[in-house]
Amino acid sequence: MSPPPAGLSHHPDFLRLWAAQAVSALGSRVSRTALPVIAIVSLGADAGGVAVLSALSTAPGVLVGLFAGGLVDRSRKRPLLIGADLVRAALILSVPIAAWAGALTLLHLSVVAALVGMATSLFQIADNAYLPALVGQDRLVEANARLEGTEAAAEIAGPGAAGLLIQVLTAPLTMVADALSYLGSAALLGRIRAIEAPAAAGGDAAEGGASLLEDLRVGLRHGLGHPVIGATFLAMGAHALLSGGAFFALYMLYLLEHLRLDPAAVGLIISVGGVGALGGSVLAGWLGRRLGAGPAMILSLLVGQASTALIPLAVQLGPLAVPALVLHQLLGDAFLVAFMIHAVSVRQSMLPLHVLGRVNATLHVLTGALLPAGTLAAGWLAGRIGVEATVWAGVIAGFAAPLLLLRPAVWRLRAV
């Protein structure tokens, strides 16, 4: 499945994959904004309830990661991607149906968040393993930058549209858009014409057969055991546990209740992050050319983490609170996206294709365990020392993540 010489702009199958991701990304931003708003506004959830809901949307990644890596490596990826889209569409549709029937509960939202999280984890593991075979390894940075740029565009349009739709149509009804987006994504993926080669036989591809323990061993050996990829795994794990968890659990609550912003304003602030992320998709290439891939990753993660200090500072800034939150969205998203583009491209280019599924699954196990642990810890801590102090704790602790990248193998890495 090598691309034609004209490039990705004339690669029809990549364009279909790109379009599928764009449609799905836009809709998913709507439900990502709507779910916690439904929990807080319609169901009266407190900090602990929102933290549990947030944790359930990511915790199932641990279970999926345990079992999906070998399945992805031994299977064709496109049917898995389509199936994950169809499952997510059905689950998301159940929320407005339950709301219209007067039967929507926090338990229902939690179950939907958990199952959608499982399907999303499978999609992401398969998608990261599918892209190198579809476009070729020499175009990975370009392809990942385009995909991240699309995510950024969705971040610009999705949350702002969600905030306005929630106020006009109510949050459950806005989730219909997300369900339709997953159906559109599945239809576009079904039009990809490239025929996938069967999984490689022999070597690590066949190592351990279908044994769960052997699949995990292969993922750990090629992921955490790699001097560069292992450092990125540890950095992402530390960021998820120490900083991302606090942000994931408390950001919406902090803006709605501590800063007294309305859902439309929150949606618009979050959508500004998409502008930053779009810039990050361009910034990644520029930093890689100027500094090299390794230093670009270190600098990007460091600046991205430093920008999170603007969140707790906002409450002290009076009329400058909203500009501070906007600046955080611009800087934080730009540099974190630049980091992720290089981290994903390094993983896809340095590892054999037949182990990518298991290595991606190892990462999902790592972050899928640590992010919900961080969200639950943040919810517990917020109940004892307050939301603002907990957010500050996440900001300070999160600087451990870029420090974990300070290895010679990462610092000396110049080209993907």
Side-chain angles (χ1 to χ4, degrees), residues 215-243:
D215 285 341
L216 286 175
R217 183 183 67 81
V218 171
L220 287 169
R221 179 160 65 86
H222 287 275
L224 289 174
H226 192 285
V228 175
I229 296 167
T232 65
F233 273 28
L234 292 176
M236 285 187 277
H239 183 268
L241 175 66
L242 301 173
S243 184

Side-chain angles (χ1 to χ4, degrees), residues 118-131:
M118 294 177 71
T120 298
S121 293
L122 176 61
F123 187 96
Q124 290 172 345
I125 292 169
D127 184 51
N128 281 336
Y130 186 45
L131 184 64

Side-chain angles (χ1 to χ4, degrees), residues 66-164:
L66 286 173
F67 293 96
L71 170 67
V72 168
D73 280 337
R74 287 184 284 269
S75 306
R76 288 182 169 87
K77 282 65 173 174
R78 189 164 63 102
L80 296 177
L81 298 173
I82 294 171
D85 272 338
L86 295 176
V87 167
R88 289 187 288 183
L91 290 166
I92 291 296
L93 271 178
S94 74
V95 174
I97 291 172
W100 293 331
L104 185 62
T105 64
L106 188 59
L107 176 61
H108 186 150
L109 283 185
S110 299
V111 171
V112 168
L115 295 178
V116 169
M118 294 177 71
T120 298
S121 293
L122 176 61
F123 187 96
Q124 290 172 345
I125 292 169
D127 184 51
N128 281 336
Y130 186 45
L131 184 64
L134 189 68
V135 304
Q137 292 194 354
D138 58 331
R139 290 176 180 156
L140 282 175
V141 173
E142 179 189 358
N144 282 315
R146 290 188 182 210
L147 294 177
E148 287 293 340
T150 305
E151 291 285 338
E155 191 74 14
I156 296 170
L164 294 173

Side-chain angles (χ1 to χ4, degrees), residues 194-223:
I195 299 174
E196 287 186 69
D204 285 325
E207 187 176 348
S211 165
L212 173 62
L213 291 178
E214 289 300 316
D215 285 341
L216 286 175
R217 183 183 67 81
V218 171
L220 287 169
R221 179 160 65 86
H222 287 275

